[in-house]
């Protein structure tokens, strides 16, 4: 059942919805490496779109569909090792990140802006968790989306793997650097 083409299509369609949101979200965070004020302004404008009553539930349902379908598809014989590894990391990241943001915003009444994301990087040992946590998430999402797109248009290629990995490495480094700057620099251990 879980390897049925309709199940895979559900994963891809919800992944596409999520990829659009994540792309804009990551671009917002990459802006941190260029200009903090621009990143916060972009985030404020973007929030007016994705926090709409008709939009945010669609994004959250897409997350739930990914969490429900991803592990089952990863167990399939046709799943590439890189897709499995990146998918499992994204499973972990989505569970932690979405839960933390929703709890912070709805449960604690916090503003879950870029400062919220950077707050864990203000000192040790938090930075030891959050720097790789965010960096690996960007690498995993770029790799996973790159492999998914290359698979849609033909067999995954070495070039697609390299391009998506390089994008993730550069983007991840820029985002972690930007979050560190928002957090107040690199703290000493």
């Amino acid at each position: 059942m879980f390897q049925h083409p309709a199940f895979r299509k559900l994963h891809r369609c919800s992944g596409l919805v999520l990829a659009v949101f994540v792309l804009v979200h990551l671009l917002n965070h990459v802006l941190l490496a260029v200009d903090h004020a621009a990143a916060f302004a972009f985030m404020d404008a973007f929030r007016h779109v994705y926090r709409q009553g008709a939009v945010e539930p669609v994004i959250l349902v897409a997350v739930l569909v990914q969490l429900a379908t991803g592990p089952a598809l990863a167990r399939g014989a046709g799943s590439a090792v890189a897709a499995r590894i990146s998918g499992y990391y994204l499973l972990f990241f989505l569970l932690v990140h979405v839960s933390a943001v929703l709890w912070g915003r709805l449960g604690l009444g916090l503003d879950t802006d870029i400062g919220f994301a950077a707050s864990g990087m203000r000192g040790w040992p938090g930075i030891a968790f959050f720097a790789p946590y965010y960096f690996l998430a960007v690498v995993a999402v770029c790799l996973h989306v790159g492999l998914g797109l290359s698979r849609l248009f033909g067999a995954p290629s070495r070039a697609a793997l390299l391009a998506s990995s390089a994008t993730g490495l550069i983007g991840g480094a820029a985002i972690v650097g930007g979050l560190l700057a928002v957090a107040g620099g690199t703290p000493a251990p």
Side-chain angles (χ1 to χ4, degrees):
M1 170 188 159
F2 295 120
Q3 296 306 314
H4 191 276
F7 194 73
R8 191 170 296 280
K9 186 174 184 174
L10 178 63
H11 184 78
R12 286 183 184 148
C13 289
S14 64
L16 182 59
V17 168
L18 198 54
V20 170
F21 169 78
V22 169
L23 174 65
V24 178
H25 190 71
L26 291 178
L27 286 173
N28 181 197
H29 285 355
V30 167
L31 263 177
L32 286 173
V34 179
D35 182 348
H36 292 176
F40 277 89
F42 183 91
M43 179 193 59
D44 287 339
F46 183 46
R47 280 178 163 182
H48 290 296
V49 175
Y50 75 81
R51 286 193 177 171
Q52 294 294 319
V55 178
E56 191 170 37
V58 171
I59 295 168
L60 293 173
V61 167
V63 168
L64 291 173
V65 170
Q66 290 295 295
L67 295 175
T69 59
L73 290 171
R75 289 190 294 271
S79 186
V81 173
R84 283 186 192 152
I85 292 170
S86 60
Y88 280 127
Y89 188 80
L90 290 173
L91 173 69
F92 161 74
F93 184 82
L94 285 171
L95 283 170
V96 172
H97 193 69
V98 173
S99 297
V101 168
L102 290 176
W103 176 247
R105 194 172 100 209
L106 303 174
L108 300 175
L110 299 174
D111 185 2
T112 54
D113 65 0
I114 295 168
F116 177 81
S119 65
M121 298 175 71
R122 288 201 173 105
W124 294 92
I127 194 170
F129 173 79
F130 285 104
Y133 166 78
Y134 286 119
F135 178 79
L136 291 173
V138 177
V139 171
V141 79
C142 289
L143 180 59
H144 204 71
V145 169
L147 288 168
L149 289 174
S150 70
R151 204 170 173 164
L152 276 175
F153 299 110
S157 68
R158 184 178 176 98
L161 180 64
L162 291 173
S164 59
S165 297
T167 301
L169 292 169
I170 294 165
I175 289 170
V176 168
L179 289 171
L180 280 169
V182 168
T186 307

